Coordinates of all heavy atoms in Angstrom, one line a residue:
N7 N -15.1 -12.3 -32.2 CA -14.6 -11.0 -31.7 C -15.7 -10.2 -30.9 O -15.4 -9.2 -30.4 CB -14.1 -10.1 -32.8 CG -12.9 -10.7 -33.4 OD1 -12.1 -11.5 -32.8 ND2 -12.6 -10.4 -34.7
E8 N -16.9 -10.8 -30.8 CA -17.9 -10.1 -30.0 C -17.8 -10.4 -28.5 O -17.2 -11.4 -28.1 CB -19.3 -10.6 -30.5 CG -19.6 -10.2 -31.9 CD -21.0 -10.7 -32.3 OE1 -21.8 -10.9 -31.5 OE2 -21.2 -10.9 -33.5
P9 N -18.3 -9.5 -27.7 CA -18.2 -9.8 -26.2 C -18.9 -11.1 -25.9 O -19.9 -11.5 -26.5 CB -19.0 -8.6 -25.6 CG -19.0 -7.5 -26.7 CD -19.0 -8.3 -28.0
L10 N -18.4 -11.8 -24.9 CA -19.0 -13.0 -24.4 C -19.6 -12.8 -23.0 O -19.0 -12.4 -22.1 CB -17.9 -14.1 -24.3 CG -18.4 -15.5 -23.7 CD1 -19.5 -16.1 -24.6 CD2 -17.2 -16.4 -23.6
W11 N -20.9 -13.0 -22.9 CA -21.7 -12.8 -21.7 C -22.2 -14.2 -21.2 O -22.6 -15.0 -21.9 CB -22.9 -11.9 -22.0 CG -22.6 -10.5 -22.3 CD1 -22.3 -10.0 -23.6 CD2 -22.5 -9.4 -21.4 NE1 -22.0 -8.7 -23.5 CE2 -22.1 -8.3 -22.2 CE3 -22.7 -9.3 -20.0 CZ2 -21.9 -7.0 -21.6 CZ3 -22.5 -8.1 -19.5 CH2 -22.1 -6.9 -20.2
L12 N -22.1 -14.3 -19.9 CA -22.6 -15.5 -19.2 C -23.8 -15.1 -18.3 O -23.6 -14.1 -17.5 CB -21.5 -16.1 -18.3 CG -21.9 -17.2 -17.4 CD1 -22.3 -18.5 -18.2 CD2 -20.9 -17.5 -16.4
F13 N -25.0 -15.7 -18.5 CA -26.1 -15.4 -17.6 C -26.1 -16.2 -16.4 O -25.9 -17.4 -16.4 CB -27.4 -15.7 -18.4 CG -28.6 -15.4 -17.6 CD1 -29.1 -14.1 -17.4 CD2 -29.3 -16.4 -17.0 CE1 -30.2 -13.8 -16.7 CE2 -30.5 -16.2 -16.2 CZ -30.9 -14.8 -16.1
G14 N -26.2 -15.5 -15.2 CA -26.1 -16.2 -13.9 C -27.4 -16.0 -13.2 O -28.0 -14.9 -13.2
Y15 N -27.9 -17.0 -12.6 CA -29.1 -17.0 -11.7 C -28.7 -17.9 -10.5 O -27.8 -18.7 -10.6 CB -30.3 -17.4 -12.4 CG -30.4 -18.9 -12.7 CD1 -31.1 -19.8 -11.9 CD2 -29.7 -19.4 -13.8 CE1 -31.1 -21.1 -12.2 CE2 -29.7 -20.7 -14.1 CZ -30.4 -21.6 -13.3 OH -30.4 -22.9 -13.6
G16 N -29.4 -17.7 -9.4 CA -29.1 -18.6 -8.2 C -27.7 -18.3 -7.7 O -27.3 -17.1 -7.6
S17 N -26.9 -19.3 -7.4 CA -25.6 -19.2 -6.8 C -24.6 -18.5 -7.6 O -23.7 -17.9 -7.1 CB -25.1 -20.6 -6.4 OG -24.8 -21.3 -7.5
L18 N -24.8 -18.4 -8.9 CA -23.8 -17.7 -9.8 C -23.9 -16.2 -9.5 O -23.0 -15.5 -9.8 CB -24.1 -18.0 -11.3 CG -23.5 -19.3 -11.8 CD1 -23.9 -19.5 -13.2 CD2 -22.0 -19.4 -11.6
I19 N -25.0 -15.7 -9.0 CA -25.2 -14.3 -8.7 C -24.3 -13.9 -7.5 O -23.5 -12.9 -7.6 CB -26.6 -13.9 -8.4 CG1 -27.5 -14.0 -9.7 CG2 -26.7 -12.5 -7.9 CD1 -28.9 -13.8 -9.5
W20 N -24.3 -14.7 -6.5 CA -23.6 -14.3 -5.3 C -22.2 -14.9 -5.2 O -21.4 -14.6 -4.4 CB -24.4 -14.6 -4.0 CG -24.9 -16.0 -3.8 CD1 -26.2 -16.4 -4.2 CD2 -24.3 -17.1 -3.3 NE1 -26.3 -17.7 -4.0 CE2 -25.1 -18.2 -3.4 CE3 -23.0 -17.3 -2.7 CZ2 -24.8 -19.4 -2.9 CZ3 -22.7 -18.5 -2.2 CH2 -23.6 -19.6 -2.3
K21 N -21.9 -15.9 -6.1 CA -20.6 -16.5 -6.0 C -20.2 -17.0 -7.5 O -20.2 -18.1 -7.8 CB -20.6 -17.8 -5.1 CG -19.3 -18.3 -4.8 CD -19.4 -19.4 -3.8 CE -18.0 -20.0 -3.5 NZ -18.1 -21.2 -2.6
P22 N -19.9 -16.0 -8.3 CA -19.7 -16.3 -9.8 C -18.4 -17.1 -10.0 O -18.4 -17.9 -10.9 CB -19.6 -15.0 -10.5 CG -19.3 -14.0 -9.4 CD -19.9 -14.5 -8.1
E23 N -17.4 -16.9 -9.2 CA -16.1 -17.7 -9.3 C -15.4 -17.6 -10.7 O -14.6 -18.4 -11.0 CB -16.3 -19.1 -8.9 CG -16.6 -19.3 -7.5 CD -16.7 -20.8 -7.1 OE1 -16.3 -21.7 -7.9 OE2 -17.1 -21.1 -6.0
I24 N -15.8 -16.6 -11.5 CA -15.2 -16.4 -12.8 C -14.7 -14.9 -12.8 O -15.2 -14.1 -12.1 CB -16.1 -16.6 -14.0 CG1 -17.3 -15.7 -13.9 CG2 -16.4 -18.1 -14.2 CD1 -18.1 -15.6 -15.2
E25 N -13.6 -14.7 -13.5 CA -13.1 -13.4 -13.7 C -13.9 -12.7 -14.8 O -14.1 -13.3 -15.8 CB -11.6 -13.4 -14.1 CG -10.7 -13.9 -13.0 CD -9.3 -14.1 -13.5 OE1 -8.9 -13.4 -14.5 OE2 -8.6 -14.9 -12.9
H26 N -14.5 -11.6 -14.5 CA -15.3 -10.9 -15.4 C -15.0 -9.4 -15.4 O -14.5 -8.9 -14.4 CB -16.8 -11.1 -15.2 CG -17.3 -10.8 -13.9 ND1 -17.0 -11.6 -12.8 CD2 -18.0 -9.7 -13.4 CE1 -17.6 -11.0 -11.7 NE2 -18.2 -9.9 -12.1
V27 N -15.2 -8.7 -16.5 CA -14.9 -7.3 -16.6 C -16.1 -6.4 -16.4 O -16.0 -5.1 -16.3 CB -14.1 -7.0 -17.9 CG1 -12.8 -7.7 -17.9 CG2 -15.0 -7.4 -19.1
E28 N -17.3 -7.0 -16.4 CA -18.5 -6.2 -16.3 C -19.7 -7.1 -15.9 O -19.6 -8.3 -16.1 CB -18.9 -5.5 -17.7 CG -20.0 -4.6 -17.7 CD -20.3 -4.0 -19.1 OE1 -19.5 -4.2 -20.0 OE2 -21.3 -3.3 -19.2
E29 N -20.6 -6.5 -15.1 CA -21.8 -7.3 -14.8 C -23.0 -6.3 -14.9 O -22.9 -5.1 -14.6 CB -21.7 -7.9 -13.4 CG -21.5 -7.0 -12.3 CD -21.3 -7.8 -11.0 OE1 -20.3 -8.5 -10.9 OE2 -22.1 -7.7 -10.1
R30 N -24.1 -6.9 -15.3 CA -25.4 -6.1 -15.5 C -26.6 -6.9 -15.0 O -26.6 -8.2 -15.2 CB -25.6 -5.7 -16.9 CG -24.6 -4.8 -17.5 CD -24.9 -4.5 -19.0 NE -23.9 -3.8 -19.7 CZ -23.9 -3.5 -20.9 NH1 -24.9 -3.9 -21.7 NH2 -22.9 -2.8 -21.5
V31 N -27.6 -6.3 -14.5 CA -28.8 -7.0 -14.2 C -29.4 -7.4 -15.6 O -29.3 -6.6 -16.5 CB -29.8 -6.1 -13.5 CG1 -31.2 -6.7 -13.3 CG2 -29.2 -5.7 -12.1
A32 N -29.9 -8.6 -15.7 CA -30.4 -9.1 -17.0 C -31.7 -9.8 -16.8 O -32.0 -10.4 -15.8 CB -29.3 -10.0 -17.6
L33 N -32.4 -9.9 -17.9 CA -33.7 -10.6 -17.9 C -33.6 -11.6 -19.1 O -33.4 -11.2 -20.2 CB -34.9 -9.6 -18.2 CG -36.2 -10.2 -18.2 CD1 -36.6 -10.8 -16.8 CD2 -37.3 -9.2 -18.6
L34 N -33.8 -12.9 -18.7 CA -33.7 -13.9 -19.7 C -35.2 -14.3 -20.1 O -35.9 -14.8 -19.3 CB -33.0 -15.1 -19.1 CG -32.8 -16.4 -20.0 CD1 -32.0 -16.0 -21.2 CD2 -32.2 -17.5 -19.2
R35 N -35.5 -14.0 -21.3 CA -36.9 -14.3 -21.7 C -37.0 -15.7 -22.3 O -36.1 -16.1 -23.0 CB -37.3 -13.3 -22.8 CG -37.4 -11.8 -22.2 CD -37.9 -10.8 -23.3 NE -37.6 -9.5 -22.9 CZ -38.3 -8.8 -22.1 NH1 -39.4 -9.3 -21.5 NH2 -38.0 -7.5 -21.8
G36 N -38.1 -16.4 -22.1 CA -38.3 -17.7 -22.6 C -37.9 -18.8 -21.7 O -38.0 -20.0 -22.0
W37 N -37.3 -18.4 -20.5 CA -36.9 -19.4 -19.5 C -37.3 -18.9 -18.1 O -37.3 -17.7 -17.8 CB -35.4 -19.6 -19.5 CG -34.9 -20.2 -20.8 CD1 -34.6 -19.5 -21.9 CD2 -34.8 -21.5 -21.2 NE1 -34.2 -20.3 -22.9 CE2 -34.4 -21.6 -22.5 CE3 -35.1 -22.7 -20.5 CZ2 -34.2 -22.8 -23.1 CZ3 -34.9 -23.9 -21.1 CH2 -34.4 -24.0 -22.5
H38 N -37.6 -19.8 -17.2 CA -38.0 -19.4 -15.8 C -37.4 -20.4 -14.8 O -37.1 -21.6 -15.2 CB -39.5 -19.3 -15.6 CG -40.2 -20.6 -15.6 ND1 -40.5 -21.3 -16.8 CD2 -40.6 -21.5 -14.6 CE1 -41.1 -22.5 -16.5 NE2 -41.2 -22.6 -15.2
R39 N -37.2 -20.0 -13.6 CA -36.7 -20.9 -12.6 C -37.8 -21.8 -12.1 O -38.9 -21.4 -11.9 CB -36.1 -20.1 -11.4 CG -34.9 -19.3 -11.7 CD -34.3 -18.6 -10.5 NE -33.7 -19.7 -9.6 CZ -33.2 -19.4 -8.5 NH1 -33.2 -18.2 -8.0 NH2 -32.7 -20.4 -7.7
S40 N -37.4 -23.1 -11.9 CA -38.4 -24.1 -11.6 C -37.7 -25.3 -10.9 O -36.6 -25.6 -11.2 CB -39.1 -24.6 -12.8 OG -39.9 -25.7 -12.6
F41 N -38.4 -26.0 -10.0 CA -37.9 -27.2 -9.4 C -38.1 -28.3 -10.5 O -39.0 -29.1 -10.3 CB -38.5 -27.5 -8.1 CG -38.0 -26.7 -7.0 CD1 -38.7 -25.6 -6.5 CD2 -36.8 -26.9 -6.4 CE1 -38.2 -24.8 -5.5 CE2 -36.3 -26.2 -5.4 CZ -37.0 -25.1 -4.9
C42 N -37.3 -28.3 -11.5 CA -37.6 -29.2 -12.6 C -36.5 -30.3 -12.9 O -36.6 -31.2 -13.7 CB -37.8 -28.4 -13.9 SG -36.4 -27.4 -14.4
M43 N -35.4 -30.1 -12.2 CA -34.3 -31.1 -12.4 C -34.3 -32.2 -11.3 O -34.2 -31.9 -10.1 CB -32.9 -30.3 -12.3 CG -31.8 -31.3 -12.6 SD -30.1 -30.5 -12.5 CE -30.2 -29.4 -13.9
K44 N -34.5 -33.4 -11.8 CA -34.6 -34.5 -10.9 C -33.2 -35.0 -10.6 O -32.3 -35.1 -11.4 CB -35.4 -35.7 -11.6 CG -36.8 -35.4 -11.8 CD -37.5 -36.5 -12.5 CE -39.0 -36.2 -12.7 NZ -39.7 -37.3 -13.3
M45 N -33.0 -35.2 -9.3 CA -31.7 -35.6 -8.7 C -31.8 -36.9 -8.0 O -32.7 -37.1 -7.2 CB -31.2 -34.5 -7.7 CG -31.1 -33.1 -8.2 SD -29.8 -32.9 -9.4 CE -28.4 -33.1 -8.3
T46 N -30.9 -37.8 -8.4 CA -30.9 -39.1 -7.7 C -29.6 -39.2 -6.8 O -29.5 -40.2 -6.1 CB -30.9 -40.3 -8.7 OG1 -29.8 -40.1 -9.6 CG2 -32.2 -40.3 -9.5
R47 N -28.7 -38.3 -7.0 CA -27.5 -38.3 -6.1 C -27.7 -37.1 -5.2 O -28.1 -36.0 -5.6 CB -26.3 -38.1 -6.9 CG -26.0 -39.3 -7.8 CD -24.8 -39.0 -8.7 NE -23.6 -38.8 -8.0 CZ -22.5 -38.3 -8.6 NH1 -22.5 -38.1 -9.9 NH2 -21.4 -38.1 -7.9
W48 N -27.4 -37.3 -3.9 CA -27.4 -36.2 -2.9 C -28.8 -35.8 -2.4 O -29.0 -35.4 -1.3 CB -26.6 -35.0 -3.3 CG -25.2 -35.3 -3.6 CD1 -24.2 -35.8 -2.8 CD2 -24.6 -35.1 -4.9 NE1 -23.1 -35.9 -3.5 CE2 -23.3 -35.6 -4.8 CE3 -25.1 -34.7 -6.1 CZ2 -22.4 -35.5 -5.9 CZ3 -24.2 -34.7 -7.2 CH2 -22.9 -35.1 -7.1
R49 N -29.8 -35.8 -3.3 CA -31.1 -35.3 -3.0 C -32.2 -36.3 -3.2 O -33.4 -35.9 -3.1 CB -31.4 -34.0 -3.8 CG -30.5 -32.9 -3.6 CD -30.8 -31.8 -4.5 NE -29.8 -30.8 -4.3 CZ -30.0 -29.5 -4.2 NH1 -31.2 -29.0 -4.2 NH2 -29.0 -28.6 -4.1
G50 N -32.0 -37.5 -3.5 CA -33.0 -38.5 -3.7 C -32.5 -39.8 -4.2 O -31.3 -40.0 -4.2
T51 N -33.4 -40.7 -4.6 CA -33.0 -42.0 -5.1 C -33.6 -42.2 -6.5 O -34.5 -41.4 -6.9 CB -33.5 -43.1 -4.2 OG1 -34.9 -43.1 -4.2 CG2 -32.9 -42.9 -2.8
K52 N -33.3 -43.3 -7.2 CA -34.0 -43.5 -8.4 C -35.5 -43.7 -8.3 O -36.2 -43.3 -9.1 CB -33.3 -44.7 -9.1 CG -31.9 -44.5 -9.6 CD -31.4 -45.7 -10.3 CE -29.9 -45.4 -10.8 NZ -29.3 -46.5 -11.4
E53 N -35.8 -44.3 -7.2 CA -37.3 -44.6 -6.9 C -38.0 -43.3 -6.5 O -39.2 -43.2 -6.7 CB -37.4 -45.6 -5.8 CG -36.9 -47.0 -6.1 CD -35.3 -47.1 -6.0 OE1 -34.7 -46.3 -5.2 OE2 -34.7 -47.9 -6.7
S54 N -37.3 -42.4 -5.8 CA -37.9 -41.2 -5.4 C -36.9 -40.0 -5.5 O -36.3 -39.6 -4.6 CB -38.3 -41.3 -3.9 OG -38.9 -40.2 -3.4
P55 N -36.8 -39.5 -6.8 CA -35.8 -38.4 -7.0 C -36.2 -37.1 -6.3 O -37.3 -36.8 -6.1 CB -35.9 -38.2 -8.5 CG -37.0 -39.1 -9.1 CD -37.5 -39.9 -8.0
G56 N -35.1 -36.5 -5.9 CA -35.3 -35.1 -5.3 C -35.3 -34.1 -6.5 O -35.1 -34.5 -7.6
L57 N -35.7 -32.9 -6.2 CA -35.8 -31.9 -7.2 C -34.8 -30.7 -6.9 O -34.7 -30.4 -5.7 CB -37.2 -31.3 -7.3 CG -38.3 -32.3 -7.8 CD1 -39.6 -31.7 -7.8 CD2 -37.9 -32.8 -9.2
M58 N -34.3 -30.2 -7.9 CA -33.4 -29.1 -7.8 C -33.8 -28.0 -8.7 O -34.4 -28.3 -9.8 CB -31.9 -29.5 -8.1 CG -30.9 -28.4 -7.9 SD -29.3 -29.2 -8.0 CE -28.6 -28.1 -9.3
M59 N -33.6 -26.7 -8.3 CA -34.0 -25.6 -9.2 C -33.1 -25.5 -10.4 O -31.9 -25.6 -10.3 CB -34.0 -24.3 -8.4 CG -34.7 -23.2 -9.1 SD -35.4 -21.9 -8.0 CE -36.9 -22.7 -7.5
A60 N -33.7 -25.3 -11.5 CA -33.0 -25.1 -12.8 C -33.9 -24.2 -13.7 O -34.9 -23.7 -13.3 CB -32.7 -26.5 -13.4
L61 N -33.4 -24.0 -14.9 CA -34.2 -23.2 -15.8 C -35.1 -24.1 -16.7 O -34.6 -25.2 -17.1 CB -33.3 -22.4 -16.8 CG -32.5 -21.3 -16.1 CD1 -31.6 -20.6 -17.1 CD2 -33.5 -20.2 -15.5
D62 N -36.3 -23.7 -16.8 CA -37.3 -24.5 -17.6 C -37.9 -23.6 -18.7 O -37.9 -22.3 -18.5 CB -38.4 -25.0 -16.7 CG -39.1 -26.3 -17.3 OD1 -38.7 -26.7 -18.4 OD2 -40.0 -26.8 -16.6
R63 N -38.4 -24.1 -19.7 CA -38.9 -23.3 -20.8 C -40.1 -22.5 -20.4 O -40.9 -22.9 -19.6 CB -39.3 -24.2 -22.0 CG -38.1 -24.8 -22.7 CD -38.5 -25.6 -23.9 NE -37.4 -26.3 -24.5 CZ -36.5 -25.8 -25.3 NH1 -36.6 -24.6 -25.7 NH2 -35.5 -26.5 -25.8
G64 N -40.2 -21.3 -21.0 CA -41.4 -20.4 -20.8 C -41.1 -19.3 -19.7 O -40.2 -19.5 -18.9
G65 N -41.8 -18.3 -19.8 CA -41.7 -17.2 -18.8 C -40.4 -16.4 -18.9 O -39.9 -16.2 -20.0
Q66 N -39.9 -15.9 -17.8 CA -38.7 -15.2 -17.8 C -38.0 -15.3 -16.5 O -38.6 -15.7 -15.5 CB -39.0 -13.7 -18.1 CG -39.9 -13.0 -17.2 CD -40.3 -11.6 -17.7 OE1 -40.3 -11.3 -18.8 NE2 -40.7 -10.8 -16.7
C67 N -36.7 -15.0 -16.4 CA -35.9 -15.1 -15.2 C -35.0 -13.9 -15.1 O -34.3 -13.6 -16.1 CB -35.1 -16.4 -15.3 SG -34.0 -16.7 -13.9
K68 N -35.0 -13.3 -14.0 CA -34.1 -12.2 -13.7 C -32.8 -12.7 -13.1 O -32.8 -13.6 -12.3 CB -34.8 -11.2 -12.8 CG -34.0 -9.8 -12.6 CD -34.9 -8.9 -11.8 CE -34.2 -7.5 -11.8 NZ -35.0 -6.6 -11.0
G69 N -31.7 -12.2 -13.6 CA -30.4 -12.6 -13.1 C -29.3 -11.6 -13.3 O -29.6 -10.4 -13.4
V70 N -28.1 -12.0 -13.5 CA -27.0 -11.1 -13.7 C -26.2 -11.6 -14.9 O -26.0 -12.8 -15.1 CB -26.0 -11.0 -12.5 CG1 -24.8 -10.2 -12.8 CG2 -26.8 -10.5 -11.3
A71 N -25.9 -10.7 -15.9 CA -25.1 -11.1 -17.0 C -23.6 -10.6 -16.7 O -23.4 -9.5 -16.3 CB -25.6 -10.4 -18.3
F72 N -22.7 -11.6 -16.8 CA -21.3 -11.3 -16.6 C -20.5 -11.3 -17.9 O -20.6 -12.3 -18.7 CB -20.7 -12.4 -15.7 CG -21.3 -12.5 -14.4 CD1 -22.3 -13.5 -14.2 CD2 -20.9 -11.7 -13.3 CE1 -22.9 -13.6 -12.9 CE2 -21.5 -11.8 -12.1 CZ -22.5 -12.8 -11.9
R73 N -19.8 -10.2 -18.2 CA -19.0 -10.1 -19.5 C -17.6 -10.7 -19.1 O -16.9 -10.1 -18.3 CB -19.0 -8.7 -20.0 CG -18.2 -8.7 -21.4 CD -18.4 -7.4 -22.2 NE -17.9 -6.3 -21.5 CZ -16.7 -5.8 -21.7 NH1 -15.8 -6.4 -22.5 NH2 -16.3 -4.7 -21.0
I74 N -17.2 -11.7 -19.8 CA -15.9 -12.3 -19.6 C -14.9 -11.6 -20.5 O -15.2 -11.2 -21.7 CB -16.0 -13.8 -20.0 CG1 -17.0 -14.5 -19.1 CG2 -14.6 -14.4 -19.9 CD1 -17.3 -15.9 -19.5
G75 N -13.8 -11.3 -19.9 CA -12.7 -10.6 -20.6 C -12.2 -11.3 -21.9 O -12.3 -12.5 -21.9
D76 N -11.7 -10.5 -22.8 CA -11.3 -11.1 -24.1 C -10.1 -12.0 -24.0 O -9.9 -13.0 -24.7 CB -11.0 -10.0 -25.1 CG -12.3 -9.2 -25.5 OD1 -13.4 -9.8 -25.3 OD2 -12.1 -8.1 -25.9
G77 N -9.2 -11.7 -23.0 CA -7.9 -12.5 -22.9 C -8.0 -13.8 -22.4 O -7.1 -14.6 -22.6
N78 N -9.0 -14.2 -21.6 CA -9.0 -15.5 -20.9 C -10.4 -16.2 -21.0 O -10.8 -16.9 -20.1 CB -8.6 -15.3 -19.5 CG -9.5 -14.5 -18.7 OD1 -10.5 -13.9 -19.2 ND2 -9.3 -14.4 -17.4
R79 N -11.1 -16.0 -22.1 CA -12.4 -16.6 -22.2 C -12.4 -18.1 -22.0 O -13.2 -18.7 -21.3 CB -12.9 -16.4 -23.6 CG -13.3 -15.0 -23.9 CD -13.9 -14.9 -25.3 NE -14.4 -13.5 -25.5 CZ -15.0 -13.2 -26.6 NH1 -15.3 -14.1 -27.6 NH2 -15.5 -12.0 -26.8
R80 N -11.5 -18.8 -22.7 CA -11.5 -20.3 -22.6 C -11.2 -20.8 -21.1 O -11.9 -21.7 -20.6 CB -10.4 -20.9 -23.5 CG -10.3 -22.4 -23.5 CD -11.6 -22.9 -24.1 NE -11.5 -24.4 -24.1 CZ -12.3 -25.1 -24.8 NH1 -13.1 -24.6 -25.6 NH2 -12.2 -26.4 -24.7
A81 N -10.3 -20.1 -20.4 CA -10.0 -20.5 -19.0 C -11.2 -20.3 -18.1 O -11.6 -21.1 -17.3 CB -8.8 -19.8 -18.5
Q82 N -11.9 -19.2 -18.4 CA -13.1 -18.9 -17.5 C -14.3 -19.8 -17.8 O -15.0 -20.2 -16.9 CB -13.5 -17.4 -17.7 CG -12.5 -16.4 -17.2 CD -12.0 -16.7 -15.8 OE1 -12.8 -16.9 -14.9 NE2 -10.7 -16.8 -15.7
L83 N -14.5 -20.1 -19.1 CA -15.5 -21.1 -19.5 C -15.2 -22.5 -18.9 O -16.1 -23.2 -18.4 CB -15.7 -21.1 -21.0 CG -16.4 -19.9 -21.6 CD1 -16.4 -20.1 -23.1 CD2 -17.8 -19.8 -21.1
D84 N -13.9 -22.9 -19.0 CA -13.6 -24.2 -18.4 C -13.8 -24.2 -16.9 O -14.3 -25.2 -16.4 CB -12.1 -24.5 -18.7 CG -11.8 -24.9 -20.1 OD1 -12.7 -25.1 -20.9 OD2 -10.6 -24.9 -20.5
K85 N -13.5 -23.1 -16.2 CA -13.8 -23.0 -14.8 C -15.2 -23.1 -14.4 O -15.6 -23.9 -13.5 CB -13.2 -21.7 -14.3 CG -13.3 -21.5 -12.8 CD -12.9 -20.1 -12.3 CE -11.5 -20.0 -12.1 NZ -11.1 -18.7 -11.4
I86 N -16.1 -22.5 -15.2 CA -17.5 -22.5 -14.8 C -18.1 -23.8 -15.2 O -19.0 -24.4 -14.5 CB -18.3 -21.3 -15.5 CG1 -19.6 -21.1 -14.8 CG2 -18.5 -21.5 -17.0 CD1 -19.5 -20.6 -13.4
L87 N -17.7 -24.5 -16.3 CA -18.2 -25.8 -16.7 C -17.8 -26.8 -15.7 O -18.5 -27.7 -15.4 CB -17.7 -26.1 -18.1 CG -18.4 -25.4 -19.2 CD1 -17.7 -25.7 -20.6 CD2 -19.9 -25.7 -19.3
R88 N -16.5 -26.8 -15.2 CA -16.1 -27.7 -14.1 C -17.0 -27.6 -12.9 O -17.3 -28.5 -12.2 CB -14.6 -27.5 -13.8 CG -13.7 -28.2 -14.7 CD -12.3 -28.2 -14.1 NE -11.8 -27.0 -13.7 CZ -11.2 -26.1 -14.5 NH1 -11.0 -26.3 -15.7 NH2 -10.7 -24.9 -14.0
R89 N -17.3 -26.3 -12.5 CA -18.2 -26.1 -11.4 C -19.6 -26.6 -11.6 O -20.2 -27.2 -10.7 CB -18.2 -24.6 -11.0 CG -19.2 -24.3 -10.0 CD -19.3 -22.8 -9.8 NE -20.6 -22.5 -9.2 CZ -20.9 -21.3 -8.7 NH1 -20.0 -20.3 -8.7 NH2 -22.1 -21.1 -8.2
E90 N -20.2 -26.3 -12.7 CA -21.6 -26.5 -12.9 C -22.0 -27.8 -13.5 O -23.1 -28.3 -13.3 CB -22.2 -25.3 -13.8 CG -22.1 -24.0 -13.1 CD -23.0 -23.9 -11.9 OE1 -24.1 -24.5 -11.9 OE2 -22.6 -23.2 -10.9
V91 N -21.1 -28.4 -14.3 CA -21.4 -29.6 -15.1 C -20.6 -30.8 -14.5 O -19.6 -31.2 -15.1 CB -21.2 -29.4 -16.6 CG1 -21.6 -30.7 -17.3 CG2 -21.9 -28.2 -17.1
T92 N -20.9 -31.2 -13.3 CA -20.1 -32.2 -12.6 C -20.8 -33.6 -12.5 O -20.2 -34.5 -12.2 CB -19.9 -31.7 -11.1 OG1 -21.1 -31.5 -10.5 CG2 -19.0 -30.5 -11.1
L93 N -22.1 -33.6 -12.8 CA -22.8 -34.9 -12.8 C -22.5 -35.7 -14.0 O -22.3 -35.2 -15.1 CB -24.3 -34.7 -12.7 CG -24.8 -33.9 -11.5 CD1 -26.3 -33.7 -11.6 CD2 -24.4 -34.7 -10.2
K94 N -22.4 -37.0 -13.8 CA -22.1 -37.9 -15.0 C -23.2 -39.0 -14.9 O -23.2 -39.8 -14.0 CB -20.7 -38.5 -14.9 CG -19.7 -37.5 -15.0 CD -18.3 -38.1 -15.0 CE -17.3 -36.9 -15.1 NZ -16.0 -37.3 -15.0
P95 N -24.0 -39.1 -15.9 CA -24.2 -38.2 -17.0 C -24.8 -36.9 -16.5 O -25.5 -36.8 -15.6 CB -25.1 -38.9 -18.0 CG -25.9 -39.8 -17.1 CD -25.0 -40.2 -15.9
T96 N -24.4 -35.8 -17.2 CA -24.9 -34.5 -16.8 C -26.3 -34.3 -17.1 O -26.8 -34.8 -18.1 CB -24.0 -33.4 -17.4 OG1 -24.4 -32.2 -16.9 CG2 -24.1 -33.4 -18.9
S97 N -27.0 -33.5 -16.3 CA -28.3 -33.1 -16.6 C -28.4 -31.7 -17.2 O -29.4 -31.2 -17.6 CB -29.1 -33.0 -15.2 OG -29.1 -34.2 -14.6
Y98 N -27.2 -31.1 -17.3 CA -27.1 -29.7 -17.9 C -26.8 -29.7 -19.4 O -26.1 -30.6 -19.8 CB -26.0 -28.9 -17.2 CG -26.3 -28.7 -15.7 CD1 -25.7 -29.4 -14.7 CD2 -27.1 -27.6 -15.3 CE1 -25.9 -29.2 -13.4 CE2 -27.3 -27.4 -14.0 CZ -26.8 -28.2 -13.0 OH -27.0 -27.9 -11.7
H99 N -27.3 -28.7 -20.0 CA -27.1 -28.6 -21.5 C -26.7 -27.2 -21.7 O -27.6 -26.3 -22.0 CB -28.3 -29.0 -22.3 CG -28.7 -30.4 -21.9 ND1 -28.1 -31.5 -22.4 CD2 -29.8 -30.9 -21.2 CE1 -28.7 -32.6 -21.9 NE2 -29.7 -32.2 -21.2
P100 N -25.4 -26.8 -21.7 CA -25.0 -25.4 -21.9 C -25.4 -24.9 -23.3 O -25.5 -25.6 -24.3 CB -23.4 -25.5 -21.9 CG -23.1 -26.8 -21.1 CD -24.3 -27.7 -21.5
R101 N -25.8 -23.6 -23.3 CA -26.3 -22.9 -24.5 C -25.7 -21.6 -24.6 O -25.5 -20.9 -23.6 CB -27.8 -22.8 -24.5 CG -28.5 -24.1 -24.5 CD -30.0 -23.9 -24.2 NE -30.5 -25.2 -23.9 CZ -31.5 -25.7 -24.4 NH1 -32.2 -25.1 -25.3 NH2 -32.0 -26.9 -24.1

């Protein structure tokens, strides 16, 4: 019954694509943006992976917290997971 907040950084800030009832500037402690995600599709090969920005342990990251409305939480989470977790196998680990 508690509010559900989604932390956005990068493209989620300017294109969240979820219905939300509130947004606030937020600071995520313990994580920072870094070119730490190795990509072998679209940005590189297995022999020479490309890098994509993601969150890595340590430091802090400024972003936006989006509060998802109580009535459609599941639909909004499904929408964001379909958008963000598209690689198979996925490199993302939602928390």
Side-chain angles (χ1 to χ4, degrees):
N7 292 334
E8 295 181 24
L10 178 61
W11 291 87
L12 173 70
F13 180 78
Y15 69 99
S17 66
L18 282 178
I19 292 174
W20 53 268
K21 192 175 179 184
E23 293 185 9
I24 56 166
E25 296 173 22
H26 56 283
V27 295
E28 184 179 354
E29 58 185 66
R30 297 181 187 175
V31 174
L33 183 67
L34 181 63
R35 296 180 197 280
W37 298 90
H38 70 282
R39 292 184 71 184
S40 170
F41 284 102
C42 62
M43 184 180 292
K44 293 182 180 178
M45 302 289 293
T46 57
R47 294 172 62 191
W48 304 295
R49 297 177 188 226
T51 64
K52 288 182 182 178
E53 298 77 29
S54 182
L57 293 175
M58 186 170 125
M59 191 154 282
L61 291 177
D62 203 359
R63 292 184 187 275
Q66 59 189 24
C67 179
K68 192 172 184 180
V70 175
F72 300 95
R73 185 167 63 91
I74 299 173
D76 294 336
N78 63 354
R79 288 180 175 190
R80 182 65 183 198
Q82 296 310 309
L83 287 175
D84 286 347
K85 183 187 271 188
I86 201 68
L87 287 172
R88 276 194 310 275
R89 170 186 158 168
E90 295 294 323
V91 186
T92 58
L93 299 176
K94 295 181 182 182
T96 184
S97 299
Y98 294 100
H99 305 284
R101 296 168 194 233

